[in-house]
Amino acid sequence: MVDEGRRGIFTSLSSALRGEKKSSETPVRPPYNNDPDLFSRLCPECEEKPCARVCEEDIIEICENGTPKLLFQKRGCTFCDECLKACDKGVLSDASLPFIKASVEIDILKCMAWHGTICSSCKDPCLEDAIKFLALFRPEIEPERCTACGWCIPVCPVDAIKIQTL
Ligand code: SF4
Ligand code: SF4
Ligand code: SF4
């Protein structure tokens, strides 16, 4: 579960990395899936959508086509396994995949720490220690450490952290 104390305290300034915004329309999906095609094949016929109901962080939203996507407007994923346990269609079925298939990047054009303002809001909730600063500035996310949990996204005061499905 989340280290609420650590994550809750820091809601100041911050953010994120290089780059062009990519424009993928593909939703970011819940973890524990090893075949993305299953979402469109099996989820529309899942009547109760239990994954969305059990998510304690309330980050699973059901799209118009009946498939789940993750939203990181307020919270992130704790990899609590509840959606995995709730899915009885085999869409979320692989406990060996406790990460989200997405890339998380800091937009250096928006990030204040790339423009001379001290801000570490994104670093504080990252339990993976995946956000590295050069001295106090120029934060970048190390993809090999990042699980795409999304906790850094809502704390950025200038909305500079973007997540995109892989
Ligand atoms: S519980 Fe499983 S099958 Fe149902 S919507 Fe969620 S991921 Fe899809
Ligand atoms: S692992 Fe837990 S927090 Fe993450 S999406 Fe599933 S139910 Fe929600
Ligand atoms: S999405 Fe990546 S960088 Fe952001 S808090 Fe999670 S692990 Fe850290």
Side-chain angles (χ1 to χ4, degrees):
M1 291 301 292
V2 195
D3 183 339
E4 289 295 345
R6 192 173 159 198
R7 281 183 167 132
I9 289 170
F10 306 101
T11 310
S12 38
L13 337 163
S14 84
S15 334
L17 169 117
R18 44 182 188 273
E20 348 50 83
K21 280 184 195 169
K22 301 170 189 174
S23 57
S24 170
E25 297 298 323
T26 307
V28 176
R29 302 297 195 184
Y32 312 116
N33 166 264
N34 58 19
D35 181 359
D37 289 344
L38 294 179
F39 287 108
S40 54
R41 281 175 45 204
L42 300 178
C43 293
E45 294 178 7
C46 174
E47 292 184 4
E48 301 293 331
K49 317 290 188 193
C51 58
R53 194 177 66 245
V54 301
C55 179
E56 294 180 1
E57 305 304 332
D58 198 21
I59 60 171
I60 300 180
E61 182 179 282
I62 303 302
C63 305
E64 284 185 10
N65 67 1
T67 65
K69 67 177 179 182
L70 298 183
L71 294 179
F72 300 100
Q73 293 163 335
K74 294 181 180 176
R75 307 181 70 78
C77 176
T78 59
F79 304 104
C80 67
D81 294 357
E82 292 302 319
C83 56
L84 169 70
K85 289 185 277 187
C87 178
D88 58 6
K89 303 285 186 196
V91 179
L92 311 180
S93 62
D94 194 338
S96 71
L97 301 174
F99 54 83
I100 292 161
K101 292 176 185 171
S103 64
V104 182
E105 292 189 344
I106 296 173
D107 183 345
I108 64 172
L109 297 178
K110 296 176 77 174
C111 172
M112 296 190 295
W114 272 85
H115 297 277
T117 298
I118 292 178
C119 171
S120 60
S121 297
C122 58
K123 182 176 178 63
D124 298 327
C126 181
L127 302 185
E128 306 302 328
D129 195 23
I131 305 179
K132 302 300 183 187
F133 283 68
L134 184 62
L136 296 174
F137 303 101
R138 300 187 180 188
E140 295 196 29
I141 296 173
E142 293 186 347
E144 63 275 12
R145 299 180 73 98
C146 177
T147 61
C149 70
W151 281 97
C152 57
I153 295 171
V155 302
C156 176
V158 293
D159 193 27
I161 304 182
K162 303 302 175 192
I163 186 166
Q164 175 183 307
T165 192
L166 293 173

Short mmCIF file of all heavy atoms in Angstrom, two decimals, residues 1-2 29-32 50-52 54-60 70 72 76-84 92 100 149 151, ligand 2:
data_model
loop_
_atom_site.label_atom_id
_atom_site.label_comp_id
_atom_site.label_asym_id
_atom_site.label_seq_id
_atom_site.Cartn_x
_atom_site.Cartn_y
_atom_site.Cartn_z
N MET A 1 0.83 -1.19 0.00
CA MET A 1 0.00 0.00 0.00
C MET A 1 0.87 1.25 0.00
O MET A 1 2.04 1.21 0.22
CB MET A 1 -0.91 0.01 1.23
CG MET A 1 -1.98 -1.06 1.17
SD MET A 1 -3.05 -0.90 -0.27
CE MET A 1 -3.91 0.62 0.14
N VAL A 2 0.22 2.36 -0.21
CA VAL A 2 0.96 3.59 -0.37
C VAL A 2 1.51 4.10 0.94
O VAL A 2 0.94 3.92 1.99
CB VAL A 2 0.01 4.69 -0.84
CG1 VAL A 2 0.81 5.85 -1.37
CG2 VAL A 2 -0.99 4.18 -1.79
N ARG A 29 -3.61 1.26 -19.46
CA ARG A 29 -4.39 0.15 -18.89
C ARG A 29 -3.90 -0.22 -17.49
O ARG A 29 -2.77 0.08 -17.11
CB ARG A 29 -4.26 -1.07 -19.80
CG ARG A 29 -4.72 -0.86 -21.24
CD ARG A 29 -6.19 -0.54 -21.33
NE ARG A 29 -6.67 -0.68 -22.72
CZ ARG A 29 -7.90 -0.39 -23.10
NH1 ARG A 29 -8.79 0.08 -22.23
NH2 ARG A 29 -8.26 -0.54 -24.37
N PRO A 30 -4.73 -0.94 -16.74
CA PRO A 30 -4.30 -1.45 -15.44
C PRO A 30 -3.13 -2.43 -15.59
O PRO A 30 -2.89 -2.96 -16.67
CB PRO A 30 -5.55 -2.18 -14.91
CG PRO A 30 -6.69 -1.58 -15.63
CD PRO A 30 -6.15 -1.25 -17.00
N PRO A 31 -2.41 -2.67 -14.49
CA PRO A 31 -1.29 -3.61 -14.53
C PRO A 31 -1.76 -5.06 -14.61
O PRO A 31 -2.96 -5.33 -14.71
CB PRO A 31 -0.56 -3.34 -13.22
CG PRO A 31 -1.61 -2.81 -12.30
CD PRO A 31 -2.57 -2.05 -13.17
N TYR A 32 -0.81 -5.97 -14.61
CA TYR A 32 -1.06 -7.42 -14.54
C TYR A 32 -1.65 -8.01 -15.82
O TYR A 32 -2.25 -9.07 -15.81
CB TYR A 32 -1.98 -7.78 -13.36
CG TYR A 32 -1.58 -7.13 -12.07
CD1 TYR A 32 -2.40 -6.21 -11.44
CD2 TYR A 32 -0.36 -7.43 -11.48
CE1 TYR A 32 -2.03 -5.61 -10.25
CE2 TYR A 32 0.03 -6.82 -10.28
CZ TYR A 32 -0.81 -5.92 -9.68
OH TYR A 32 -0.44 -5.32 -8.51
N PRO A 50 -15.61 -5.39 -12.24
CA PRO A 50 -15.16 -5.39 -10.84
C PRO A 50 -13.82 -4.71 -10.61
O PRO A 50 -13.55 -4.22 -9.51
CB PRO A 50 -15.10 -6.88 -10.49
CG PRO A 50 -14.95 -7.59 -11.79
CD PRO A 50 -15.73 -6.76 -12.76
N CYS A 51 -12.97 -4.66 -11.63
CA CYS A 51 -11.67 -4.01 -11.42
C CYS A 51 -11.86 -2.56 -10.99
O CYS A 51 -11.17 -2.08 -10.08
CB CYS A 51 -10.82 -4.09 -12.69
SG CYS A 51 -11.57 -3.34 -14.15
N ALA A 52 -12.78 -1.88 -11.63
CA ALA A 52 -13.02 -0.47 -11.31
C ALA A 52 -13.64 -0.33 -9.92
O ALA A 52 -13.36 0.62 -9.19
CB ALA A 52 -13.92 0.16 -12.36
N VAL A 54 -13.22 -2.30 -7.27
CA VAL A 54 -12.37 -2.66 -6.13
C VAL A 54 -11.15 -1.76 -5.98
O VAL A 54 -10.49 -1.80 -4.93
CB VAL A 54 -11.89 -4.12 -6.22
CG1 VAL A 54 -13.07 -5.07 -6.25
CG2 VAL A 54 -10.98 -4.33 -7.42
N CYS A 55 -10.84 -0.97 -6.95
CA CYS A 55 -9.61 -0.16 -6.87
C CYS A 55 -9.74 0.87 -5.75
O CYS A 55 -10.54 1.81 -5.84
CB CYS A 55 -9.35 0.54 -8.20
SG CYS A 55 -7.86 1.58 -8.13
N GLU A 56 -8.94 0.69 -4.73
CA GLU A 56 -9.03 1.58 -3.57
C GLU A 56 -8.57 2.99 -3.89
O GLU A 56 -8.95 3.94 -3.20
CB GLU A 56 -8.19 1.01 -2.42
CG GLU A 56 -8.75 -0.30 -1.88
CD GLU A 56 -7.90 -0.86 -0.74
OE1 GLU A 56 -6.90 -0.22 -0.37
OE2 GLU A 56 -8.27 -1.93 -0.23
N GLU A 57 -7.76 3.13 -4.89
CA GLU A 57 -7.30 4.47 -5.26
C GLU A 57 -8.26 5.15 -6.23
O GLU A 57 -8.09 6.32 -6.57
CB GLU A 57 -5.89 4.38 -5.88
CG GLU A 57 -4.86 3.69 -5.00
CD GLU A 57 -4.75 4.32 -3.63
OE1 GLU A 57 -5.01 5.54 -3.51
OE2 GLU A 57 -4.40 3.62 -2.67
N ASP A 58 -9.23 4.40 -6.69
CA ASP A 58 -10.26 4.94 -7.58
C ASP A 58 -9.65 5.55 -8.85
O ASP A 58 -10.04 6.64 -9.28
CB ASP A 58 -11.09 5.99 -6.84
CG ASP A 58 -12.42 6.25 -7.55
OD1 ASP A 58 -12.86 5.39 -8.32
OD2 ASP A 58 -13.00 7.34 -7.34
N ILE A 59 -8.72 4.82 -9.43
CA ILE A 59 -8.07 5.34 -10.63
C ILE A 59 -8.48 4.59 -11.89
O ILE A 59 -8.00 4.90 -12.98
CB ILE A 59 -6.53 5.32 -10.50
CG1 ILE A 59 -6.00 3.90 -10.29
CG2 ILE A 59 -6.06 6.26 -9.40
CD1 ILE A 59 -4.49 3.79 -10.37
N ILE A 60 -9.35 3.58 -11.75
CA ILE A 60 -9.80 2.84 -12.92
C ILE A 60 -11.14 3.39 -13.39
O ILE A 60 -12.12 3.39 -12.63
CB ILE A 60 -9.92 1.34 -12.65
CG1 ILE A 60 -8.57 0.76 -12.21
CG2 ILE A 60 -10.43 0.60 -13.89
CD1 ILE A 60 -8.60 -0.74 -11.91
N LEU A 70 -6.67 3.85 -16.84
CA LEU A 70 -6.22 4.46 -15.60
C LEU A 70 -6.19 5.98 -15.75
O LEU A 70 -5.75 6.50 -16.77
CB LEU A 70 -4.83 3.96 -15.23
CG LEU A 70 -4.68 2.45 -14.98
CD1 LEU A 70 -3.26 2.13 -14.56
CD2 LEU A 70 -5.66 1.98 -13.92
N PHE A 72 -4.87 9.45 -13.65
CA PHE A 72 -3.95 9.85 -12.58
C PHE A 72 -4.17 11.31 -12.18
O PHE A 72 -3.23 12.03 -11.93
CB PHE A 72 -2.51 9.64 -13.04
CG PHE A 72 -2.20 8.21 -13.40
CD1 PHE A 72 -2.18 7.80 -14.72
CD2 PHE A 72 -1.96 7.28 -12.41
CE1 PHE A 72 -1.90 6.48 -15.05
CE2 PHE A 72 -1.68 5.95 -12.73
CZ PHE A 72 -1.66 5.55 -14.06
N GLY A 76 -2.34 7.59 -7.68
CA GLY A 76 -1.63 6.67 -8.53
C GLY A 76 -1.96 5.24 -8.13
O GLY A 76 -2.81 4.98 -7.28
N CYS A 77 -1.26 4.31 -8.76
CA CYS A 77 -1.47 2.89 -8.49
C CYS A 77 -0.52 2.42 -7.39
O CYS A 77 0.67 2.76 -7.41
CB CYS A 77 -1.22 2.12 -9.78
SG CYS A 77 -1.33 0.32 -9.59
N THR A 78 -1.03 1.63 -6.48
CA THR A 78 -0.20 1.07 -5.41
C THR A 78 0.20 -0.37 -5.70
O THR A 78 0.87 -0.99 -4.88
CB THR A 78 -0.98 1.09 -4.08
OG1 THR A 78 -2.17 0.32 -4.24
CG2 THR A 78 -1.32 2.51 -3.68
N PHE A 79 -0.27 -0.90 -6.82
CA PHE A 79 -0.03 -2.31 -7.14
C PHE A 79 -0.52 -3.21 -6.01
O PHE A 79 0.19 -4.11 -5.54
CB PHE A 79 1.45 -2.55 -7.49
CG PHE A 79 1.92 -1.66 -8.60
CD1 PHE A 79 2.71 -0.55 -8.35
CD2 PHE A 79 1.51 -1.90 -9.91
CE1 PHE A 79 3.10 0.30 -9.38
CE2 PHE A 79 1.90 -1.05 -10.95
CZ PHE A 79 2.70 0.03 -10.68
N CYS A 80 -1.72 -2.93 -5.60
CA CYS A 80 -2.30 -3.63 -4.46
C CYS A 80 -2.82 -5.02 -4.83
O CYS A 80 -3.21 -5.79 -3.96
CB CYS A 80 -3.45 -2.80 -3.89
SG CYS A 80 -4.86 -2.66 -5.00
N ASP A 81 -2.92 -5.31 -6.10
CA ASP A 81 -3.40 -6.61 -6.61
C ASP A 81 -4.92 -6.77 -6.59
O ASP A 81 -5.43 -7.81 -7.00
CB ASP A 81 -2.83 -7.81 -5.82
CG ASP A 81 -1.34 -7.96 -5.98
OD1 ASP A 81 -0.75 -7.18 -6.74
OD2 ASP A 81 -0.77 -8.87 -5.35
N GLU A 82 -5.63 -5.80 -6.10
CA GLU A 82 -7.09 -5.98 -5.97
C GLU A 82 -7.76 -6.14 -7.33
O GLU A 82 -8.68 -6.95 -7.49
CB GLU A 82 -7.71 -4.83 -5.19
CG GLU A 82 -7.32 -4.79 -3.72
CD GLU A 82 -7.69 -6.07 -2.99
OE1 GLU A 82 -8.79 -6.60 -3.23
OE2 GLU A 82 -6.87 -6.56 -2.19
N CYS A 83 -7.33 -5.37 -8.32
CA CYS A 83 -7.94 -5.51 -9.65
C CYS A 83 -7.58 -6.87 -10.25
O CYS A 83 -8.40 -7.50 -10.92
CB CYS A 83 -7.52 -4.37 -10.56
SG CYS A 83 -5.74 -4.17 -10.76
N LEU A 84 -6.38 -7.31 -10.00
CA LEU A 84 -5.95 -8.63 -10.46
C LEU A 84 -6.84 -9.72 -9.87
O LEU A 84 -7.32 -10.62 -10.59
CB LEU A 84 -4.50 -8.85 -10.05
CG LEU A 84 -3.92 -10.26 -10.20
CD1 LEU A 84 -3.75 -10.61 -11.66
CD2 LEU A 84 -2.58 -10.37 -9.47
N LEU A 92 -6.72 -9.37 -16.53
CA LEU A 92 -5.69 -9.08 -15.54
C LEU A 92 -5.39 -10.40 -14.87
O LEU A 92 -6.17 -10.89 -14.05
CB LEU A 92 -6.19 -8.04 -14.53
CG LEU A 92 -6.83 -6.78 -15.12
CD1 LEU A 92 -7.27 -5.84 -14.02
CD2 LEU A 92 -5.91 -6.08 -16.11
N ILE A 100 2.92 -0.75 -14.81
CA ILE A 100 1.99 -0.30 -15.83
C ILE A 100 2.76 -0.10 -17.13
O ILE A 100 3.86 0.49 -17.13
CB ILE A 100 1.31 1.00 -15.36
CG1 ILE A 100 0.39 0.67 -14.18
CG2 ILE A 100 0.54 1.66 -16.49
CD1 ILE A 100 0.00 1.84 -13.34
N CYS A 149 3.68 4.11 -12.00
CA CYS A 149 2.60 4.10 -11.00
C CYS A 149 1.77 5.38 -11.03
O CYS A 149 0.63 5.39 -10.58
CB CYS A 149 3.18 3.92 -9.60
SG CYS A 149 4.13 5.35 -9.00
N TRP A 151 2.10 8.28 -9.41
CA TRP A 151 1.93 9.13 -8.22
C TRP A 151 2.58 10.50 -8.39
O TRP A 151 2.20 11.47 -7.72
CB TRP A 151 2.50 8.43 -6.99
CG TRP A 151 1.56 7.40 -6.44
CD1 TRP A 151 1.58 6.06 -6.69
CD2 TRP A 151 0.43 7.64 -5.59
NE1 TRP A 151 0.54 5.46 -6.04
CE2 TRP A 151 -0.17 6.39 -5.36
CE3 TRP A 151 -0.10 8.78 -5.01
CZ2 TRP A 151 -1.31 6.26 -4.56
CZ3 TRP A 151 -1.24 8.65 -4.22
CH2 TRP A 151 -1.82 7.40 -4.00
S1 SF4 B 2 -3.29 -2.56 -8.55
FE1 SF4 B 2 -4.69 -1.69 -7.01
S2 SF4 B 2 -4.36 0.55 -7.12
FE2 SF4 B 2 -3.50 -0.35 -9.00
S3 SF4 B 2 -5.17 -0.22 -10.53
FE3 SF4 B 2 -5.29 -2.26 -9.55
S4 SF4 B 2 -6.74 -2.02 -7.87
FE4 SF4 B 2 -6.08 0.05 -8.49
#
